[in-house]
Coordinates of all heavy atoms in Angstrom, one line a residue:
M242 N 91.6 69.2 122.2 CA 92.4 68.1 121.9 C 92.0 67.6 120.5 O 90.9 67.5 120.2 CB 92.2 67.0 123.0 CG 93.1 65.8 122.8 SD 92.8 64.6 124.0 CE 93.4 65.3 125.5
A243 N 93.0 67.4 119.7 CA 92.8 66.9 118.3 C 92.3 65.5 118.3 O 92.5 64.7 119.3 CB 94.1 67.1 117.5
D244 N 91.8 65.1 117.2 CA 91.3 63.7 117.0 C 92.4 62.6 117.2 O 92.1 61.6 117.7 CB 90.6 63.5 115.7 CG 89.3 64.2 115.6 OD1 88.8 64.6 116.6 OD2 88.9 64.4 114.4
N245 N 93.6 62.9 116.7 CA 94.6 61.9 116.9 C 95.6 62.2 118.0 O 96.7 61.5 118.0 CB 95.3 61.8 115.5 CG 96.0 63.2 115.1 OD1 95.8 64.1 115.8 ND2 96.8 63.2 114.0
D246 N 95.3 63.0 118.9 CA 96.0 63.3 120.1 C 95.5 62.4 121.2 O 94.4 62.5 121.6 CB 96.0 64.7 120.4 CG 97.0 65.1 121.5 OD1 97.8 64.3 121.9 OD2 96.9 66.2 122.0
I247 N 96.4 61.5 121.7 CA 95.9 60.6 122.8 C 96.3 61.1 124.2 O 96.1 60.3 125.1 CB 96.5 59.2 122.5 CG1 98.0 59.2 122.6 CG2 96.0 58.6 121.3 CD1 98.7 57.8 122.5
G248 N 96.6 62.3 124.3 CA 96.9 62.8 125.6 C 98.2 63.7 125.8 O 98.9 63.7 124.8
P249 N 98.3 64.4 126.9 CA 99.5 65.2 127.0 C 100.8 64.3 127.1 O 100.8 63.3 127.7 CB 99.2 65.9 128.3 CG 98.2 65.1 129.0 CD 97.4 64.4 128.0
G250 N 101.8 64.7 126.4 CA 103.1 64.0 126.4 C 103.0 62.8 125.6 O 104.1 62.1 125.5
A251 N 102.0 62.4 125.0 CA 101.9 61.2 124.2 C 102.2 61.5 122.7 O 102.0 62.6 122.3 CB 100.6 60.5 124.3
E252 N 102.7 60.6 122.0 CA 102.9 60.7 120.6 C 101.6 60.7 119.8 O 100.7 60.1 120.3 CB 103.8 59.6 120.0 CG 105.2 59.6 120.5 CD 106.0 58.6 119.9 OE1 105.7 58.2 118.8 OE2 107.0 58.2 120.5
K253 N 101.5 61.4 118.7 CA 100.3 61.5 118.0 C 100.2 60.2 117.2 O 101.2 59.6 116.8 CB 100.3 62.7 117.0 CG 100.3 64.0 117.7 CD 99.8 65.0 116.8 CE 99.8 66.3 117.6 NZ 98.6 66.8 117.8
L254 N 98.9 59.7 117.1 CA 98.7 58.4 116.3 C 98.9 58.7 114.8 O 98.4 59.8 114.3 CB 97.3 58.0 116.5 CG 97.0 57.6 117.9 CD1 95.6 57.2 118.1 CD2 97.9 56.3 118.3
R255 N 99.5 57.9 114.1 CA 99.7 58.0 112.6 C 98.5 57.2 111.9 O 98.3 56.1 112.2 CB 101.0 57.4 112.2 CG 102.2 58.3 112.6 CD 103.4 57.8 112.1 NE 104.1 57.3 113.2 CZ 104.9 56.4 113.3 NH1 105.2 55.6 112.3 NH2 105.6 56.0 114.5
R256 N 97.9 57.8 111.0 CA 97.0 57.1 110.2 C 97.6 56.7 109.0 O 98.1 57.4 108.2 CB 95.8 58.1 109.8 CG 95.0 58.5 111.1 CD 93.9 59.4 110.6 NE 93.3 59.9 111.8 CZ 92.4 60.9 111.8 NH1 92.1 61.4 110.7 NH2 91.9 61.3 112.9
R257 N 97.5 55.4 108.7 CA 98.2 54.8 107.5 C 97.5 53.5 107.2 O 96.9 52.9 108.0 CB 99.7 54.7 107.7 CG 100.0 53.7 108.8 CD 101.5 53.5 109.0 NE 101.7 52.6 110.0 CZ 102.8 51.9 110.1 NH1 103.8 52.1 109.3 NH2 103.0 51.1 111.1
V258 N 97.7 53.1 105.9 CA 97.3 51.9 105.5 C 98.4 50.9 105.6 O 99.5 51.2 105.2 CB 96.8 51.9 104.0 CG1 96.3 50.6 103.5 CG2 95.7 52.9 103.9
I259 N 98.1 49.7 106.2 CA 99.2 48.7 106.3 C 99.2 47.8 105.0 O 98.2 47.1 104.8 CB 99.0 47.9 107.6 CG1 99.0 48.9 108.8 CG2 100.0 46.8 107.7 CD1 98.7 48.1 110.1
M260 N 100.3 47.8 104.3 CA 100.4 47.1 103.1 C 101.1 45.8 103.4 O 102.0 45.7 104.2 CB 101.1 47.9 102.0 CG 100.3 49.1 101.6 SD 98.7 48.7 100.9 CE 99.2 47.8 99.3
P261 N 100.9 44.7 102.6 CA 101.6 43.5 102.9 C 103.1 43.6 102.5 O 103.4 44.3 101.6 CB 100.8 42.5 101.9 CG 100.0 43.3 101.0 CD 99.8 44.6 101.6
R262 N 103.8 43.0 103.3 CA 105.3 43.1 103.1 C 105.9 41.9 102.2 O 106.9 42.2 101.5 CB 106.0 43.1 104.4 CG 105.6 44.4 105.2 CD 106.4 44.4 106.5 NE 106.0 45.6 107.2 CZ 106.4 45.9 108.4 NH1 107.1 45.1 109.1 NH2 105.9 46.9 109.0
S263 N 105.3 40.8 102.3 CA 105.9 39.6 101.7 C 105.2 39.4 100.3 O 104.1 39.8 100.0 CB 105.8 38.3 102.5 OG 104.5 38.0 102.6
R264 N 105.9 38.6 99.4 CA 105.3 38.4 98.1 C 104.1 37.5 98.3 O 103.1 37.7 97.6 CB 106.4 37.6 97.2 CG 105.8 37.3 95.9 CD 106.9 36.6 95.1 NE 107.9 37.6 94.8 CZ 109.1 37.2 94.2 NH1 109.3 36.0 93.7 NH2 110.0 38.1 94.0
R265 N 104.2 36.6 99.2 CA 103.0 35.7 99.4 C 101.8 36.5 99.9 O 100.7 36.2 99.4 CB 103.4 34.6 100.6 CG 102.4 33.6 100.8 CD 102.9 32.7 101.9 NE 104.0 31.9 101.5 CZ 104.8 31.2 102.3 NH1 104.5 31.2 103.6 NH2 105.8 30.6 101.8
A266 N 102.0 37.5 100.7 CA 100.9 38.2 101.2 C 100.3 39.1 100.1 O 99.1 39.3 100.0 CB 101.3 39.1 102.4
R267 N 101.2 39.6 99.2 CA 100.7 40.4 98.1 C 99.9 39.6 97.2 O 98.8 40.0 96.6 CB 101.9 41.0 97.4 CG 102.4 42.3 98.0 CD 103.5 43.0 97.3 NE 104.6 43.2 98.2 CZ 105.8 42.6 98.0 NH1 106.1 42.0 96.9 NH2 106.7 42.9 98.9
W268 N 100.2 38.3 96.9 CA 99.5 37.4 96.1 C 98.1 37.1 96.7 O 97.1 37.1 96.0 CB 100.2 36.1 95.8 CG 101.2 36.2 94.7 CD1 102.6 36.3 94.8 CD2 101.0 36.4 93.3 NE1 103.2 36.4 93.6 CE2 102.2 36.5 92.7 CE3 99.8 36.4 92.6 CZ2 102.3 36.6 91.3 CZ3 99.9 36.5 91.2 CH2 101.1 36.6 90.5
L269 N 98.1 36.9 98.0 CA 96.8 36.7 98.7 C 95.9 37.9 98.6 O 94.7 37.7 98.5 CB 97.1 36.2 100.1 CG 97.6 34.8 100.3 CD1 98.1 34.6 101.7 CD2 96.6 33.8 99.9
L270 N 96.5 39.1 98.8 CA 95.7 40.3 98.7 C 95.1 40.4 97.2 O 93.9 40.8 97.1 CB 96.6 41.5 99.0 CG 95.8 42.8 98.9 CD1 94.7 43.0 99.9 CD2 96.9 44.0 99.0
A271 N 95.9 40.1 96.3 CA 95.4 40.1 94.9 C 94.3 39.0 94.7 O 93.2 39.3 94.0 CB 96.5 39.9 93.9
A272 N 94.5 37.9 95.3 CA 93.4 36.8 95.2 C 92.1 37.3 95.8 O 91.0 37.0 95.3 CB 94.0 35.5 95.7
F273 N 92.2 37.9 97.0 CA 91.0 38.4 97.6 C 90.4 39.5 96.8 O 89.1 39.6 96.7 CB 91.4 39.0 99.0 CG 91.4 38.0 100.2 CD1 92.6 37.7 100.8 CD2 90.3 37.3 100.5 CE1 92.7 36.7 101.8 CE2 90.3 36.3 101.5 CZ 91.5 36.1 102.1
A274 N 91.1 40.4 96.2 CA 90.6 41.4 95.3 C 89.8 40.8 94.1 O 88.8 41.3 93.8 CB 91.7 42.4 94.9
L275 N 90.5 39.7 93.5 CA 89.8 39.1 92.4 C 88.5 38.4 92.8 O 87.5 38.4 92.1 CB 90.7 38.1 91.7 CG 91.9 38.7 90.9 CD1 92.9 37.6 90.5 CD2 91.3 39.4 89.7
L276 N 88.5 37.8 94.0 CA 87.3 37.1 94.5 C 86.3 38.1 94.8 O 85.1 37.9 94.5 CB 87.7 36.3 95.8 CG 86.6 35.4 96.3 CD1 86.2 34.4 95.2 CD2 87.1 34.7 97.5
L277 N 86.7 39.3 95.3 CA 85.6 40.3 95.6 C 85.1 40.8 94.3 O 83.9 41.0 94.1 CB 86.3 41.4 96.3 CG 85.4 42.6 96.7 CD1 84.4 42.2 97.8 CD2 86.3 43.8 97.3
A278 N 85.9 41.0 93.2 CA 85.5 41.4 91.9 C 84.5 40.3 91.3 O 83.6 40.7 90.5 CB 86.6 41.7 91.0
A279 N 84.8 39.1 91.6 CA 84.0 38.0 91.0 C 82.5 38.0 91.5 O 81.6 37.5 90.9 CB 84.6 36.7 91.2
G280 N 82.3 38.7 92.6 CA 81.0 38.7 93.2 C 80.3 40.0 93.0 O 79.2 40.3 93.5
C281 N 80.9 40.9 92.2 CA 80.2 42.2 91.8 C 79.3 42.0 90.6 O 79.5 41.1 89.8 CB 81.4 43.2 91.5 SG 82.2 43.7 93.0
W282 N 78.5 43.0 90.4 CA 77.4 42.9 89.4 C 78.0 42.7 87.9 O 77.4 41.9 87.3 CB 76.6 44.2 89.5 CG 75.6 44.2 88.4 CD1 75.5 45.0 87.3 CD2 74.5 43.2 88.2 NE1 74.4 44.6 86.5 CE2 73.8 43.5 87.0 CE3 74.1 42.2 88.9 CZ2 72.7 42.8 86.6 CZ3 73.0 41.4 88.5 CH2 72.3 41.7 87.4
P283 N 79.0 43.3 87.4 CA 79.3 43.1 86.0 C 79.7 41.6 85.8 O 79.4 41.1 84.7 CB 80.5 44.0 85.8 CG 80.4 45.0 86.8 CD 79.7 44.4 88.0
V284 N 80.3 40.9 86.7 CA 80.6 39.5 86.6 C 79.4 38.6 86.8 O 79.1 37.6 86.1 CB 81.7 39.1 87.5 CG1 82.0 37.7 87.4 CG2 83.0 39.9 87.2
I285 N 78.6 39.0 87.8 CA 77.3 38.2 88.1 C 76.4 38.3 86.8 O 75.7 37.3 86.5 CB 76.7 38.8 89.3 CG1 77.4 38.5 90.6 CG2 75.2 38.2 89.5 CD1 76.9 39.1 91.8
M286 N 76.4 39.4 86.2 CA 75.6 39.5 85.0 C 75.9 38.5 84.0 O 75.0 38.1 83.2 CB 75.7 40.9 84.5 CG 74.8 41.3 83.3 SD 75.0 43.0 82.7 CE 76.7 43.0 82.3
L287 N 77.1 38.1 83.9 CA 77.5 37.0 82.9 C 76.9 35.7 83.3 O 76.6 34.8 82.4 CB 79.0 36.9 82.9 CG 79.8 38.1 82.4 CD1 81.3 37.8 82.6 CD2 79.5 38.4 81.0
F288 N 76.6 35.5 84.5 CA 76.0 34.2 84.9 C 74.5 34.2 85.2 O 74.0 33.2 85.6 CB 76.8 33.7 86.3 CG 78.2 33.4 86.1 CD1 79.1 34.3 86.2 CD2 78.6 32.2 85.6 CE1 80.5 34.1 86.1 CE2 79.9 31.9 85.4 CZ 80.9 32.8 85.6
N289 N 73.9 35.3 85.0 CA 72.5 35.5 85.2 C 71.7 35.1 83.9 O 71.2 36.0 83.2 CB 72.1 36.9 85.6 CG 70.8 37.1 86.2 OD1 70.0 36.1 86.4 ND2 70.3 38.3 86.3
R290 N 71.6 33.8 83.7 CA 71.0 33.2 82.5 C 70.0 32.1 82.9 O 70.2 31.6 84.0 CB 72.0 32.7 81.6 CG 73.0 33.7 81.1 CD 74.1 33.1 80.3 NE 75.2 34.1 80.0 CZ 75.2 34.9 79.0 NH1 74.3 35.0 78.2 NH2 76.2 35.7 78.9
A291 N 69.1 31.7 82.1 CA 68.2 30.7 82.3 C 68.9 29.4 81.9 O 68.4 28.7 80.9 CB 66.9 30.9 81.6
V292 N 69.9 29.0 82.6 CA 70.5 27.7 82.3 C 70.7 27.0 83.5 O 70.9 27.5 84.6 CB 72.0 28.0 81.8 CG1 72.8 26.8 81.5 CG2 71.9 28.9 80.5
V293 N 70.5 25.6 83.4 CA 70.7 24.7 84.6 C 71.9 24.0 84.5 O 72.2 23.3 83.4 CB 69.4 23.8 84.7 CG1 69.6 22.8 85.8 CG2 68.1 24.6 84.9
A294 N 72.8 24.0 85.5 CA 74.0 23.3 85.5 C 74.1 22.5 86.8 O 74.0 23.1 87.9 CB 75.2 24.2 85.3
A295 N 74.4 21.2 86.8 CA 74.5 20.4 87.9 C 73.2 20.4 88.7 O 73.3 20.4 89.9 CB 75.8 20.8 88.7
G296 N 72.1 20.6 88.1 CA 70.8 20.6 88.8 C 70.5 21.9 89.4 O 69.5 22.0 90.1
L297 N 71.3 22.9 89.2 CA 71.0 24.3 89.8 C 71.0 25.3 88.8 O 71.8 25.2 87.8 CB 72.2 24.6 90.8 CG 72.3 23.8 92.1 CD1 73.5 24.1 92.8 CD2 71.0 24.2 93.0
P298 N 70.3 26.4 89.0 CA 70.4 27.5 88.1 C 71.9 28.0 88.1 O 72.6 27.9 89.1 CB 69.5 28.5 88.6 CG 68.5 27.8 89.4 CD 69.2 26.6 90.0
L299 N 72.3 28.5 87.0 CA 73.7 29.0 86.8 C 74.1 30.0 87.8 O 75.2 30.0 88.4 CB 74.0 29.4 85.5 CG 75.4 29.7 85.0 CD1 76.2 28.4 85.2 CD2 75.5 30.2 83.6
M300 N 73.1 30.9 88.2 CA 73.4 31.9 89.2 C 73.5 31.4 90.6 O 74.4 31.9 91.3 CB 72.1 32.9 89.2 CG 72.3 34.1 90.0 SD 73.5 35.2 89.3 CE 73.2 36.6 90.3
A301 N 72.8 30.3 90.9 CA 72.9 29.7 92.3 C 74.3 29.0 92.3 O 75.0 29.0 93.3 CB 71.8 28.8 92.5
L302 N 74.7 28.3 91.2 CA 75.9 27.6 91.2 C 77.1 28.6 91.4 O 78.0 28.3 92.1 CB 76.0 26.8 89.9 CG 77.2 25.9 89.8 CD1 77.1 24.8 90.8 CD2 77.2 25.3 88.3
W303 N 77.0 29.8 90.7 CA 78.0 30.8 90.8 C 78.2 31.3 92.3 O 79.2 31.5 92.8 CB 77.8 31.9 89.8 CG 78.9 32.9 89.9 CD1 78.8 34.2 90.3 CD2 80.2 32.8 89.5 NE1 79.9 34.8 90.2 CE2 80.9 34.0 89.7 CE3 81.0 31.7 89.0 CZ2 82.3 34.2 89.5 CZ3 82.3 31.9 88.8 CH2 83.0 33.1 89.0
S304 N 77.0 31.4 92.9 CA 77.0 31.9 94.3 C 77.7 30.9 95.2 O 78.5 31.3 96.0 CB 75.6 32.1 94.8 OG 75.0 33.1 94.0
Y305 N 77.4 29.6 95.0 CA 78.1 28.6 95.7 C 79.6 28.6 95.5 O 80.4 28.4 96.4 CB 77.5 27.1 95.5 CG 76.2 26.9 96.1 CD1 75.1 26.6 95.3 CD2 76.1 27.0 97.5 CE1 73.9 26.3 96.0 CE2 74.9 26.7 98.2 CZ 73.8 26.4 97.4 OH 72.6 26.1 98.0
V306 N 80.0 28.8 94.2 CA 81.4 28.9 93.9 C 82.1 30.0 94.7 O 83.2 29.9 95.2 CB 81.6 29.0 92.4 CG1 83.1 29.3 92.0 CG2 81.2 27.6 91.7
I307 N 81.4 31.1 94.7 CA 82.0 32.3 95.4 C 82.2 32.0 96.9 O 83.2 32.3 97.5 CB 81.1 33.6 95.2 CG1 81.1 34.0 93.7 CG2 81.5 34.7 96.0 CD1 82.4 34.6 93.2
V308 N 81.1 31.5 97.5 CA 81.2 31.1 98.9 C 82.3 30.1 99.3 O 83.2 30.4 100.2 CB 79.9 30.7 99.5 CG1 80.0 30.1 100.9 CG2 78.8 31.8 99.4
F309 N 82.3 29.0 98.5 CA 83.4 28.0 98.8 C 84.8 28.6 98.4 O 85.7 28.2 99.1 CB 83.1 26.7 98.1 CG 81.9 26.0 98.6 CD1 80.8 25.7 97.9 CD2 81.8 25.7 99.9 CE1 79.7 25.0 98.4 CE2 80.7 25.1 100.6 CZ 79.7 24.7 99.7
A310 N 84.9 29.4 97.5 CA 86.2 29.9 97.1 C 86.7 30.9 98.2 O 87.9 31.0 98.5 CB 86.2 30.7 95.8
S311 N 85.8 31.6 98.8 CA 86.1 32.5 99.9 C 86.6 31.7 101.1 O 87.6 32.1 101.7 CB 84.8 33.3 100.3 OG 84.4 34.1 99.4
V312 N 85.9 30.7 101.5 CA 86.3 29.9 102.6 C 87.7 29.2 102.3 O 88.6 29.2 103.1 CB 85.3 28.7 102.9 CG1 85.8 27.8 103.9 CG2 84.0 29.4 103.4
A313 N 87.9 28.7 101.1 CA 89.1 28.1 100.7 C 90.3 29.1 100.7 O 91.4 28.8 101.2 CB 89.1 27.5 99.3
L314 N 90.1 30.3 100.3 CA 91.0 31.4 100.2 C 91.4 31.8 101.6 O 92.6 32.1 101.9 CB 90.7 32.5 99.4 CG 91.7 33.5 99.1 CD1 92.9 33.0 98.4 CD2 91.1 34.7 98.3
M315 N 90.5 31.9 102.5 CA 90.8 32.3 103.9 C 91.5 31.2 104.6 O 92.5 31.5 105.4 CB 89.5 32.6 104.7 CG 88.9 34.0 104.3 SD 87.5 34.5 105.2 CE 86.2 33.6 104.4
A316 N 91.2 30.0 104.4 CA 91.9 28.8 105.0 C 93.4 28.8 104.5 O 94.3 28.6 105.3 CB 91.2 27.5 104.7
L317 N 93.5 29.0 103.2 CA 94.9 29.1 102.6 C 95.7 30.2 103.1 O 96.9 30.0 103.5 CB 94.7 29.2 101.1 CG 96.1 29.3 100.3 CD1 96.8 28.0 100.4 CD2 95.8 29.7 98.9
A318 N 95.1 31.4 103.3 CA 95.8 32.5 103.8 C 96.2 32.3 105.3 O 97.4 32.6 105.7 CB 94.9 33.8 103.7
N319 N 95.3 31.6 106.1 CA 95.7 31.4 107.4 C 96.9 30.4 107.5 O 97.8 30.5 108.3 CB 94.5 30.8 108.2 CG 93.5 31.8 108.6 OD1 93.9 33.0 108.8 ND2 92.3 31.4 108.8
R320 N 96.8 29.4 106.6 CA 97.9 28.4 106.6 C 99.2 29.0 106.1 O 100.2 28.7 106.7 CB 97.5 27.2 105.7 CG 98.6 26.1 105.7 CD 98.0 24.9 105.0 NE 97.0 24.4 105.8 CZ 97.0 23.2 106.4 NH1 98.1 22.4 106.3 NH2 96.0 22.7 107.0
L321 N 99.2 29.8 105.1 CA 100.4 30.3 104.5 C 101.0 31.5 105.3 O 102.2 31.6 105.4 CB 100.1 30.9 103.1 CG 99.9 29.8 102.0 CD1 99.6 30.5 100.7 CD2 101.0 28.8 101.8
L322 N 100.2 32.3 106.0 CA 100.8 33.4 106.7 C 101.0 33.1 108.2 O 101.5 34.0 108.8 CB 99.8 34.6 106.5 CG 99.7 35.1 105.1 CD1 98.8 36.3 105.0 CD2 101.0 35.4 104.5
S323 N 100.5 32.0 108.7 CA 100.6 31.8 110.1 C 102.0 31.4 110.5 O 102.5 31.6 111.5 CB 99.6 30.8 110.7 OG 99.9 29.6 110.1
G324 N 102.7 30.6 109.7 CA 104.0 30.0 110.0 C 104.0 29.2 111.2 O 103.2 28.2 111.3
G325 N 104.9 29.4 112.1 CA 104.8 28.7 113.4 C 103.8 29.3 114.3 O 103.8 30.5 114.5
H326 N 102.9 28.5 114.7 CA 101.7 29.0 115.5 C 102.2 29.7 116.8 O 101.7 30.8 117.1 CB 100.8 27.8 115.8 CG 100.2 27.3 114.6 ND1 99.2 27.9 113.9 CD2 100.4 26.0 114.0 CE1 98.8 27.2 112.9 NE2 99.5 26.0 112.9
G327 N 103.0 29.1 117.5 CA 103.4 29.8 118.8 C 104.4 30.9 118.7 O 104.4 31.8 119.4
E328 N 105.3 30.8 117.7 CA 106.4 31.8 117.6 C 105.9 33.1 117.1 O 106.2 34.1 117.8 CB 107.4 31.2 116.6 CG 108.0 29.9 117.0 CD 108.6 29.2 115.8 OE1 108.5 29.7 114.7 OE2 109.0 28.0 116.0
R329 N 105.0 33.2 116.1 CA 104.6 34.5 115.6 C 103.6 35.1 116.5 O 103.5 36.3 116.8 CB 104.1 34.4 114.2 CG 105.2 34.3 113.2 CD 104.6 34.6 111.9 NE 105.7 34.5 110.9 CZ 105.6 34.6 109.7 NH1 104.4 34.8 109.1 NH2 106.7 34.5 108.9
R330 N 102.7 34.3 117.0 CA 101.6 34.8 117.8 C 102.1 35.4 119.1 O 101.7 36.5 119.6 CB 100.6 33.7 118.2 CG 99.4 34.2 119.0 CD 98.3 33.3 118.9 NE 97.7 33.4 117.6 CZ 96.7 32.6 117.2 NH1 96.2 31.7 118.0 NH2 96.2 32.7 116.0
S331 N 103.2 34.8 119.7 CA 103.7 35.3 120.9 C 104.4 36.6 120.8 O 104.5 37.5 121.6 CB 104.6 34.3 121.6 OG 105.7 34.1 120.8
A332 N 105.0 36.8 119.5 CA 105.6 38.1 119.2 C 104.6 39.2 119.1 O 104.9 40.4 119.5 CB 106.4 37.9 117.9
H333 N 103.4 38.9 118.6 CA 102.4 40.0 118.4 C 101.7 40.2 119.7 O 101.2 41.4 119.9 CB 101.5 39.7 117.3 CG 102.2 39.7 115.9 ND1 102.6 40.9 115.4 CD2 102.5 38.7 115.0 CE1 103.2 40.6 114.3 NE2 103.2 39.4 114.0
Y334 N 101.4 39.2 120.4 CA 100.4 39.3 121.6 C 101.2 39.0 122.9 O 101.2 37.9 123.4 CB 99.3 38.3 121.4 CG 98.5 38.5 120.2 CD1 98.6 37.7 119.1 CD2 97.6 39.6 120.1 CE1 98.0 37.9 117.9 CE2 97.0 39.8 118.9 CZ 97.1 38.9 117.8 OH 96.4 39.2 116.7
Q335 N 101.9 40.0 123.3 CA 102.7 39.9 124.6 C 101.7 40.1 125.7 O 101.0 41.0 125.7 CB 103.8 40.9 124.6 CG 104.9 40.7 123.6 CD 105.7 39.4 123.9 OE1 105.8 39.0 125.0 NE2 106.2 38.7 122.9
P336 N 101.8 39.1 126.7 CA 100.9 39.4 127.8 C 101.4 40.5 128.7 O 102.6 40.8 128.7 CB 101.0 38.1 128.6 CG 102.3 37.5 128.1 CD 102.5 37.9 126.7
S337 N 100.4 41.1 129.3 CA 100.8 42.3 130.1 C 101.5 41.8 131.5 O 101.2 40.8 132.1 CB 99.5 43.0 130.6 OG 99.8 44.0 131.5
E338 N 102.5 42.6 131.8 CA 103.3 42.3 133.0 C 102.6 42.8 134.2 O 103.0 42.5 135.4 CB 104.7 42.9 132.9 CG 105.5 42.3 131.7 CD 105.8 40.8 132.0 OE1 106.0 40.4 133.2 OE2 105.9 40.1 131.0
E339 N 101.6 43.6 134.1 CA 101.0 44.3 135.2 C 100.1 43.3 135.9 O 99.4 42.5 135.3 CB 100.2 45.5 134.8 CG 100.9 46.5 134.1 CD 100.0 47.6 133.5 OE1 98.8 47.6 133.8 OE2 100.5 48.4 132.7
L340 N 100.0 43.3 137.2 CA 99.1 42.5 138.0 C 97.8 43.2 138.0 O 97.7 44.4 138.2 CB 99.7 42.3 139.4 CG 100.9 41.5 139.4 CD1 101.4 41.4 140.9 CD2 100.8 40.1 138.9
R341 N 96.8 42.5 137.8 CA 95.4 43.0 137.9 C 94.8 42.5 139.2 O 94.8 41.5 139.6 CB 94.5 42.5 136.8 CG 95.1 43.0 135.4 CD 94.1 42.5 134.3 NE 94.7 42.8 133.1 CZ 94.3 42.3 131.9 NH1 93.2 41.4 131.9 NH2 94.8 42.6 130.8
E342 N 94.1 43.5 139.8 CA 93.4 43.2 141.0 C 92.0 42.9 140.7 O 91.3 43.5 140.0 CB 93.4 44.4 142.0 CG 94.9 44.7 142.5 CD 94.8 45.8 143.5 OE1 93.8 46.0 144.1 OE2 95.9 46.5 143.6
P343 N 91.4 41.8 141.3 CA 90.1 41.4 141.0 C 89.0 42.3 141.6 O 89.2 43.0 142.5 CB 89.9 40.0 141.7 CG 91.1 39.8 142.6 CD 92.1 40.8 142.2

């Protein structure tokens, strides 16, 4: 049996990357990529100096900015992409019609 074969008579699983469909989702993906890049070494190297800003070393302040920006971006993404809470969620998560025996 192949890795992507789920059994006899079943369709083979397709391996693919799911890309965002809306413009809003594409902008959020780009914002997440920029935030990820802001936490990588070449950018961190710019803030690794012996400077104190707001009572913190510049490196520590940049770390706090990255963490709070991550939280804010995730909250924004949840708000922008969720739409109607009950309408979209029910379309994706249909309850099973099968009865389960305890």
Side-chain angles (χ1 to χ4, degrees):
M242 186 179 290
D244 290 340
N245 59 353
D246 188 7
I247 58 174
E252 293 183 26
K253 294 197 182 249
L254 296 175
R255 286 183 250 146
R256 294 181 189 170
R257 62 182 180 155
V258 176
I259 299 172
M260 295 300 293
R262 295 182 182 174
S263 68
R264 180 179 295 176
R265 184 181 295 170
R267 280 185 233 122
W268 278 107
L269 286 169
L270 179 63
F273 275 114
L275 286 174
L276 188 61
L277 184 66
C281 290
W282 177 246
V284 177
I285 291 175
M286 187 174 57
L287 297 173
F288 295 94
N289 193 10
R290 301 177 191 269
V292 176
V293 175
L297 291 170
L299 193 58
M300 185 71 165
L302 186 63
W303 182 246
S304 300
Y305 282 121
V306 167
I307 293 290
V308 169
F309 288 126
S311 299
V312 170
L314 188 59
M315 286 186 274
L317 179 67
N319 282 336
R320 181 171 293 247
L321 291 177
L322 297 179
S323 68
H326 293 289
E328 299 157 4
R329 284 198 179 173
R330 182 165 286 175
S331 64
H333 290 293
Y334 302 104
Q335 292 293 329
S337 175
E338 297 294 326
E339 302 172 13
L340 295 177
R341 297 182 185 169
E342 294 186 24

